[in-house]
């Protein structure tokens, strides 16, 4: 007897040995949990291993100012707000620059140079989830500012505060009371899955004289016109290839889908399966299979724009207070400067 009912094709993917060499056991478990609970591979993990080179090359090619592209949003906003930030440094005092999600450190180059000319930089602390990007940052800083003290450490700001021992005076082991400017540049805050937790971790890492400075795109996410450009095009394509390669998913078994996601009020890039799929994580004590149905999607990239009232709500919930902000000339991006809320 013939049947019109077709049996779904089931495929199995096994992460590569390189995948397990890039991520710690804790990080692998974090990826498994995100896949099970949210059907997501958090973007932050794509900056590790070769992902660091992908990001650095993307940044240098598409974001660093060139003769045909003279402006960079973060650099220009730091320039616009330099007088305000410098004015908040007490007379005769220096400041520690704490760059969270430092990447290759290009956005802060001009800012540090101007402060350094005024002898205001005590030390530069680069923090990132990626050891490989911290190596890029170190090489750049040593080339640009060989006399500026450089400290680096891996950190996932979504999961933890910034360790206080990074602010110790090495000679006395006492906590350095130098005021700090925490930077979180790019559109990094809009890429996080749990922005509230990130802001709370910043709040709990700060003292009363410290400032948090971050940038992000502003506007209404739901009004996205579907125009694929910038990071949504070039970085997403690289991340998509990186995920397929490391997880072991064949290109013909999936497709890349970009869309507005109402649940998270974000633009997302998802991997959609053409068949039933099983991802088999098997390494040391880890033995876990996650099953996906044909048509299911995994989020691999997210971007959230802010509308100012909602930004203020998020900051207030986290114990932070917006004290100053400015936008770029196109009113597409914001630089927000915050302190610990008075109450």
């Amino acid at each position: 007897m013939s049947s019109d009912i077709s049996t779904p094709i089931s495929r199995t993917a096994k992460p590569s040995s390189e995948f397990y060499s890039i991520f710690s056991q804790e990080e692998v478990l974090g990826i498994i949990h995100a896949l099970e609970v949210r059907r997501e591979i958090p973007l932050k993990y794509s900056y590790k291993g070769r992902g660091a080179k992908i990001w650095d090359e993307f940044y240098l090619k598409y974001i660093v100012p060139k003769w045909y592209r003279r402006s960079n949003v973060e650099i220009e906003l730091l320039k616009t707000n330099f007088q305000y930030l410098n004015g908040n440094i007490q007379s005769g005092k220096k400041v520690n620059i704490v760059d969270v999600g430092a990447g290759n450190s290009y956005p802060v180059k001009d800012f540090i140079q101007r402060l350094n000319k005024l002898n205001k930089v005590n030390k530069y602390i680069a923090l990132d989830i990626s050891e490989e990007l911290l190596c890029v940052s170190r090489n750049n800083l040593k080339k640009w500012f060989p006399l500026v003290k450089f400290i680096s450490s891996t950190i996932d700001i979504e999961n933890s505060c910034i360790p206080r021992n990074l602010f110790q005076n090495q000679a006395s082991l006492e906590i350095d009371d130098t005021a700090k400017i925490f930077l979180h540049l790019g559109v990094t805050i809009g890429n996080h899955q749990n922005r509230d937790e990130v802001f709370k971790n910043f709040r709990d890492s700060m003292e009363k004289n410290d400032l948090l400075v971050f940038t992000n795109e502003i506007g209404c996410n739901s009004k996205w016109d579907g125009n694929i450009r910038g990071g949504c095009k070039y970085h997403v394509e690289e991340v998509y290839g990186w995920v397929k390669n490391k997880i072991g998913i064949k290109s013909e078994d999936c497709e890349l889908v970009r869309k507005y996601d109402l649940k998270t009020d974000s633009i997302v890039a998802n991997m959609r399966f053409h068949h039933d799929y099983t991802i088999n994580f098997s390494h040391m004590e880890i033995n876990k299979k996650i099953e996906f149905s044909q048509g299911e999607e995994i989020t691999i990239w997210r971007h959230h724009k802010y509308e100012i009232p909602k930004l203020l709500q998020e900051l207030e919930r986290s114990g932070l207070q917006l004290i100053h902000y400015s936008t770029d000339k196109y009113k597409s991006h914001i630089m927000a400067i915050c302190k610990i809320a008075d109450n």
Side-chain angles (χ1 to χ4, degrees):
M1 294 176 62
S2 63
S3 173
D4 293 332
I5 301 173
S6 60
T7 303
I9 301 172
S10 184
R11 308 285 171 89
T12 298
K14 295 181 179 180
S16 65
S17 58
E18 186 184 357
F19 173 87
Y20 294 111
S21 69
I22 291 172
F23 300 109
S24 67
Q25 182 167 322
E26 183 181 2
E27 288 169 333
V28 173
L29 291 172
I31 291 171
I32 290 172
H33 181 264
L35 281 171
E36 283 189 304
V37 176
R38 303 195 306 272
R39 291 308 203 230
E40 178 174 13
I41 297 177
L43 178 64
K44 60 189 177 186
Y45 293 121
S46 71
Y47 297 107
K48 295 176 70 76
R50 188 180 175 278
K53 188 171 187 291
I54 288 172
W55 171 251
D56 188 43
E57 289 178 349
F58 164 73
Y59 193 94
L60 295 179
K61 187 174 182 179
Y62 294 107
I63 302 180
V64 168
K66 302 286 178 62
W67 64 268
Y68 53 86
R69 183 180 60 242
R70 297 186 183 279
S71 65
N72 168 284
V73 172
E74 289 76 43
I75 294 173
E76 291 300 317
L77 285 171
L78 277 172
K79 187 182 295 182
T80 299
N81 289 280
F82 181 82
Q83 293 300 332
Y84 183 87
L85 291 167
N86 183 47
N88 272 273
I89 301 172
Q90 292 182 1
S91 179
K93 298 284 187 177
K94 295 191 175 187
V95 67
N96 291 327
I97 307 297
V98 187
D99 196 356
V100 183
N104 57 20
S105 293
Y106 261 93
V108 301
K109 180 182 177 183
D110 290 351
F111 180 67
I112 292 176
Q113 186 171 40
R114 293 183 71 181
L115 280 179
N116 202 35
K117 283 184 177 179
L118 299 174
N119 197 29
K120 292 285 188 75
V121 180
N122 185 47
K123 55 189 171 187
Y124 174 75
I125 302 172
L127 305 175
D128 205 286
I129 194 172
S130 169
E131 293 178 7
E132 294 82 4
L133 277 174
L134 289 176
C135 184
V136 175
S137 171
R138 177 182 293 275
N139 290 338
N140 284 339
L141 261 291
K142 291 300 180 184
K143 178 174 64 179
W144 300 332
F145 311 110
L147 300 182
V148 171
K149 186 175 181 181
F150 178 93
I151 296 173
S152 67
S153 183
T154 55
I155 187 174
D156 181 355
I157 192 63
E158 203 165 11
N159 290 332
S160 64
C161 300
I162 298 166
R164 287 178 61 79
N165 60 12
L166 290 174
F167 311 128
Q168 284 179 341
N169 286 308
Q170 291 183 334
S172 64
L173 296 182
E174 292 180 355
I175 297 297
D176 185 354
D177 63 356
T178 305
K180 299 175 286 293
I181 296 177
F182 291 86
L183 300 175
H184 201 46
L185 303 178
V187 293
T188 313
I189 191 64
N191 295 147
H192 290 299
Q193 187 272 328
N194 192 338
R195 297 186 302 277
D196 277 358
E197 197 63 28
V198 172
F199 281 136
K200 286 176 184 175
N201 285 335
F202 271 118
R203 160 64 180 83
D204 292 342
S205 303
M206 295 168 65
E207 304 292 340
K208 65 176 183 177
N209 293 322
D210 297 341
L211 297 176
L212 168 63
V213 181
F214 66 91
T215 55
N216 202 64
E217 199 168 353
I218 51 176
C220 180
N221 300 286
S222 62
K223 292 182 180 178
W224 182 53
D225 59 8
N227 189 7
I228 300 168
R229 58 185 182 272
C232 190
K233 175 173 174 56
Y234 302 109
H235 191 221
V236 163
E237 289 172 354
E238 294 288 353
V239 171
Y240 180 55
W242 184 91
V243 170
K244 287 187 297 182
N245 178 265
K246 296 297 176 287
I247 301 294
I249 300 169
K250 294 180 180 179
S251 293
E252 61 266 28
D253 292 341
C254 58
E255 64 178 309
L256 180 61
V257 179
R258 301 170 176 90
K259 62 185 182 181
Y260 169 69
D261 179 52
L262 176 62
K263 186 177 179 181
T264 60
D265 189 34
S266 301
I267 307 303
V268 297
N270 290 355
M271 173 187 289
R272 178 184 293 162
F273 289 110
H274 292 159
H275 312 282
D276 290 354
Y277 235 90
T278 300
I279 301 179
N280 184 5
F281 293 91
S282 181
H283 183 71
M284 299 177 70
E285 299 90 18
I286 298 173
N287 189 6
K288 183 73 176 179
K289 293 182 179 180
I290 305 177
E291 296 183 347
F292 300 88
S293 300
Q294 179 182 340
E296 268 201 277
E297 299 177 3
I298 295 174
T299 298
I300 60 171
W301 185 92
R302 64 167 66 245
H303 175 59
H304 174 80
K305 294 181 183 179
Y306 270 116
E307 294 178 89
I308 301 299
K310 291 185 178 179
L311 172 59
L312 291 172
Q313 289 174 6
E314 286 190 17
L315 292 172
E316 185 177 343
R317 284 200 302 266
S318 304
L320 290 166
Q321 179 182 348
L322 182 69
I323 56 174
H324 183 79
Y325 77 89
S326 64
T327 61
D328 68 325
K329 59 184 177 181
Y330 302 110
K331 300 195 182 304
S332 63
H333 289 73
I334 187 174
M335 173 165 280
I337 303 174
C338 312
K339 68 171 186 175
I340 295 175
D342 291 333
N343 56 352

